Structure formats: C-alpha cells, structure tokens
C-alpha cells in the first residue's frame, strides 16, 4: 500500500488493526484479480481503504454492503457505541456520512462502491460472481450465518472467503464468526490458506456450500 493510504487507513474510524488490515489487503490483491471484492459490514470505511487499495492494484472493484444503522455491538449501551455517529433527527446510528468522507479523503471513490441496505436483502438480488468475499458485519449468530449463506455461494472457484474476528478462545471474543468459519471448512467447499490475528482466508476449492 502507498504511504498515504496506509496513513488514511490507520487514522480512519473503525476496529481493524493495521496488521490484520495488511493481511486483508494482501488477500484482496491476490483474489481481486478473479472478480469483484465484496465486503459485508462497511461501518465507517476503515477496512474498505485496505480493500480499495488492493482493488486499485488488482484492477478490480470493491462492493461494500451495509445498512449503516449499526450492528448490535455498537448500539447505545454497548461497549463499542460511538455517540458521534447517532443521527439526532431520527435517534439512530448512521455511519454512512463518515464512510463517504473516509473514502473520499482516501481518494478511493472510483474503487469503492457502497450499497446501502441489509445484507440479506441485497444478497437475494445479487447475481455476479465474486473474486473475494469479506464477512465483517454483525457478529452474533444470526447475521453471520445469513451473510455466509447469502453471499458465499457467489465466490468463484479459486476465489476467497475471508472472515474477521475469528476467536477460537471464547475469552478473546464472540464465537459466532468462529462457528461459521468452522462450518465453511466443514462444508468441503473451502480450505484455509492463511491466518493472521483474527483474520482467516479460505480459498474455494469446490461445491458444497
């Protein structure tokens, strides 16, 4: 990544550690050559900078899907709540303006395309094959499962399915992404090719999702 994009990613609002973002960038550089990169869970655009930088390198594009009303863990009363992202007109979370500013400031508006809507509804309309899918939306059982079931079938053979916040030890974090990651491996459709921190990169090797 260029130094200006590294700076932008490090200073953007979000939860992606730089080392894990770099692993995401490297995976997207490789698999983005096979087709579009799809991110489920945009938030404020931090990880989209890593993906957008990779898309530029690979000659690809990033589609990032989020309703921008916040997942359960960033709502009022939860540990990751950010009151600056609440729209006072509606009393709801709204990360879309911050995301747009983040991507514009990074100069990645040509590489990163936002779709505003629920992952499940957009997945029901989606038809294009994907070179890489990055699942990083809601982290409880139901949303992670929906994201996997709705989007993983669109990953091309030889493409990648990438999970964030995979914690085998419950003391380190929530278990839903870990359980769905195991499900993907057990399906026989994916095999793990790399792991760094809580990022797991799986490559699609056949049918079976």
């Amino acid at each position: 990544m260029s130094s200006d994009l590294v700076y932008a990613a490090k200073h953007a609002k979000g939860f992606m550690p730089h080392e894990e973002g770099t692993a995401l960038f490297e995976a997207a550089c490789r698999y983005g050559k096979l087709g579009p990169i799809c991110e489920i869970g945009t938030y404020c655009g931090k990880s989209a900078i890593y993906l957008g930088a990779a898309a530029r390198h690979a000659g690809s594009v990033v589609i990032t899907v989020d309703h921008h009303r916040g997942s359960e863990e960033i709502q009022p009363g939860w540990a990751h709540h950010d009151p600056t992202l609440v729209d006072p007109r509606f009393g709801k979370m709204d990360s879309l303006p911050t995301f747009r500013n983040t991507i514009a400031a990074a100069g990645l508006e040509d590489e990163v395309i936002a779709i505003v809507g629920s992952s499940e509804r957009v997945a029901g309309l989606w038809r294009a094959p994907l070179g890489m899918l990055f699942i990083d939306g809601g982290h409880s059982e139901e949303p992670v499962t929906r994201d996997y079931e709705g989007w993983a079938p669109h990953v091309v053979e030889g493409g990648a399915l990438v999970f964030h916040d995979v914690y085998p030890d419950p003391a380190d974090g929530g278990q839903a992404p870990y359980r769905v990651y195991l499900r993907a491996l057990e399906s026989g459709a994916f095999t793990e090719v790399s792991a760094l921190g809580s990022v797991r990169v799986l490559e699609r090797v056949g049918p079976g999702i």
Side-chain angles (χ1 to χ4, degrees):
M1 289 176 64
S2 64
S3 59
D4 58 331
L5 287 177
V6 168
Y7 180 88
K10 284 184 174 181
H11 289 83
K13 188 187 293 288
F15 308 106
M16 175 68 69
H18 179 61
E19 294 76 13
E20 295 185 358
T22 299
L24 187 66
F25 166 78
E26 291 173 351
C29 283
R30 176 180 177 183
Y31 294 103
K33 297 175 182 178
L34 301 178
I37 301 158
C38 183
E39 173 184 48
I40 308 302
T42 311
Y43 192 45
C44 295
K46 188 179 186 76
S47 57
I49 295 177
Y50 293 101
L51 295 173
R56 178 177 291 173
H57 176 82
S60 189
V61 66
V62 179
I63 310 297
T64 183
V65 181
D66 199 315
H67 48 58
H68 287 280
R69 292 304 189 191
S71 54
E72 70 283 354
E73 63 266 24
I74 63 171
Q75 300 300 324
W78 290 72
H80 296 296
H81 177 62
D82 184 344
T84 68
L85 297 178
V86 176
D87 186 332
R89 296 170 299 173
F90 306 108
K92 295 181 179 181
M93 298 290 295
D94 187 0
S95 54
L96 182 58
T98 303
F99 159 76
R100 291 204 64 177
N101 290 337
T102 297
I103 296 305
L108 290 171
E109 289 182 301
D110 287 340
E111 287 80 13
V112 180
I113 300 169
I115 296 181
V116 181
S118 75
S119 168
E120 184 176 21
R121 296 199 69 180
V122 177
L125 300 170
W126 193 262
R127 297 294 180 269
L130 301 172
M132 176 172 147
L133 170 64
F134 176 48
I135 294 180
D136 192 26
H139 286 61
S140 58
E141 199 77 36
E142 187 176 348
V144 182
T145 300
R146 286 199 306 258
D147 292 343
Y148 171 71
E149 292 179 349
W151 290 97
H154 296 294
V155 177
V156 299
E157 190 163 342
L161 168 61
V162 182
F163 288 97
H164 191 219
D165 295 322
V166 172
Y167 298 111
D169 186 345
D172 295 328
Q175 293 294 283
Y178 176 60
R179 285 191 287 269
V180 177
Y181 149 81
L182 291 178
R183 176 182 169 184
L185 289 176
E186 291 164 359
S187 74
F190 296 95
T191 186
E192 186 171 307
V193 294
S194 67
L196 190 148
S198 71
V199 172
R200 299 292 185 274
V201 180
L202 312 183
E203 186 170 298
R204 184 159 190 181
V205 294
I209 299 173

